[in-house]
Amino acid sequence: MSKIKHLEDICTQVRRDILRQVHKVNSGHPGGSLGCAEFFVALYNEIMDRKETFDMDGADEDLFFLSNGHISPVFYSVLARAGYFPVEELNTFRLIDSRLQGHPTTHEGLPGIRIASGSLGQGMSVALGAAQAKKLNGDNKLVYTLHGDGELQEGQNWEAIMYASAKKVDNLIATVDLNGQQIDGSTDDVLPMGSIKGKFEAFGWTVLEIEAGNDLEAILDGMAKAKAETGKGKPVCVLLKTIMGNGVDFMMHTHAWHGKAPNDEQLEAGLAQNPETLGDY
């Protein structure tokens, strides 16, 4: 089996996991999760240099911080499928006393989760602290982050973005999910941000774009180019152009599925478009 086919099979199963998690509790965020499935699968299976066992210290391995924590269904699925915790635990998504809360939390010690996230705008700041700690410790591994395009409307991001270039935090790769949608509509309708690329460049970042953000080969190629730009005195931003709801036709290209669960009929339709590949939980 080719590497890409293997990753595609994981993506298909992850989409099933997302739909089933959100449907079971009639709560959660499927749209952005589906749109980022390929990115997460590529990140955890090919791109990051990570240890076999998880520890909060994170020394001598690449780190990832999810800033837009509401897309936890895709994060949990990929972590489970990568061996961080049992796949069966996905059954507990959003239940009382579960380690898999709607937004990732750390107090229950879920392997793979380094920060509580979901209060939008904070992930960049945390990642910068981790990246600088690696520099101070002589650790040459990288720090990766993911942010939503709507999330960039939060002001704290821009303080952190300014800080990153001023302090030459060049071991950071921040990816922005550009799906053009947020909870109340398109990002252009809610609060137009103009050229995100131009803004990051004006703040002193190296910016790369992945036009086909739901294509695994494009992601692997683009992230390899991003990695090649680290260590050159500038933080790196990757603009990942995705489709919200990707892989489930009736969820695609609309903000309507930002935070809405499928009913029984819709679940079956979505699963039919993503035949089981690795086994459901």
Side-chain angles (χ1 to χ4, degrees):
M1 180 184 295
S2 70
K3 176 175 69 177
I4 294 299
K5 177 61 168 64
H6 174 63
L7 295 177
E8 287 174 344
D9 284 350
I10 299 174
C11 288
T12 299
Q13 190 66 52
V14 165
R15 286 193 288 271
R16 292 179 66 86
D17 292 347
I18 292 166
L19 294 170
R20 295 174 77 243
Q21 285 176 84
V22 174
H23 168 265
K24 180 178 179 180
V25 291
N26 194 32
S27 179
H29 296 80
S33 293
L34 290 166
C36 288
E38 291 83 4
F39 172 76
F40 273 93
V41 168
L43 188 70
Y44 274 87
N45 290 277
E46 289 291 334
I47 297 167
M48 284 202 304
D49 182 1
R50 56 186 182 86
K51 296 176 183 174
E52 288 293 320
T53 57
F54 177 77
D55 62 69
M56 287 296 283
D57 182 67
D60 196 34
E61 67 174 330
D62 293 341
L63 303 181
F64 172 72
F65 295 95
L66 175 64
S67 190
N68 50 331
H70 57 277
I71 63 168
S72 61
V74 64
F75 196 17
Y76 293 150
S77 171
V78 170
L79 287 175
R81 298 287 172 182
Y84 282 83
F85 55 86
V87 172
E88 294 76 15
E89 193 167 352
L90 296 176
N91 269 311
T92 72
F93 176 66
R94 279 185 175 249
L95 298 181
I96 297 296
D97 296 327
S98 169
R99 298 196 297 178
L100 278 60
Q101 290 299 296
H103 294 79
T105 62
T106 56
H107 66 281
E108 295 293 347
L110 184 65
I113 305 299
R114 298 188 179 280
I115 60 167
S117 62
S119 296
L120 296 178
Q122 298 178 3
M124 183 80 73
S125 300
V126 177
L128 284 171
Q132 288 192 299
K134 283 192 174 295
K135 282 180 168 288
L136 290 170
N137 291 332
D139 184 339
N140 64 0
K141 300 301 183 182
L142 300 176
V143 174
Y144 293 85
T145 64
L146 180 65
H147 312 264
D149 47 5
E151 180 189 5
L152 294 183
Q153 295 161 351
E154 299 278 358
Q156 182 176 330
N157 286 299
W158 297 100
E159 296 177 60
I161 291 165
M162 178 169 56
Y163 179 93
S165 57
K167 301 302 179 181
K168 297 180 171 56
V169 186
D170 58 0
N171 56 340
L172 172 71
I173 299 176
T175 299
V176 179
D177 175 21
L178 286 181
N179 61 29
Q181 307 291 334
Q182 59 190 102
I183 190 169
D184 291 323
S186 74
T187 51
D188 283 344
D189 287 340
V190 175
L191 184 63
M193 289 178 285
S195 172
I196 294 177
K197 179 181 180 182
K199 285 179 170 60
F200 270 92
E201 289 178 337
F203 275 71
W205 286 56
T206 295
V207 182
L208 294 84
E209 298 178 274
I210 300 178
E211 294 288 341
N214 293 113
D215 181 90
L216 284 162
E217 290 185 352
I219 293 169
L220 293 174
D221 180 63
M223 295 303 288
K225 290 176 180 176
K227 186 174 180 178
E229 292 297 325
T230 61
K232 297 181 179 181
K234 290 184 176 183
V236 179
C237 172
V238 175
L239 300 180
L240 183 74
K241 299 182 180 180
T242 71
I243 298 171
M244 178 171 273
N246 186 60
V248 179
D249 58 8
F250 58 88
M251 292 186 175
M252 294 171 67
H253 303 288
T254 173
H255 74 281
W257 292 94
H258 172 92
K260 176 178 144 182
N263 60 29
D264 292 350
E265 182 180 349
Q266 291 163 336
L267 172 67
E268 291 307 313
L271 294 178
Q273 294 173 39
N274 293 277
E276 186 177 335
T277 56
L278 302 180
D280 289 330
Y281 51 86

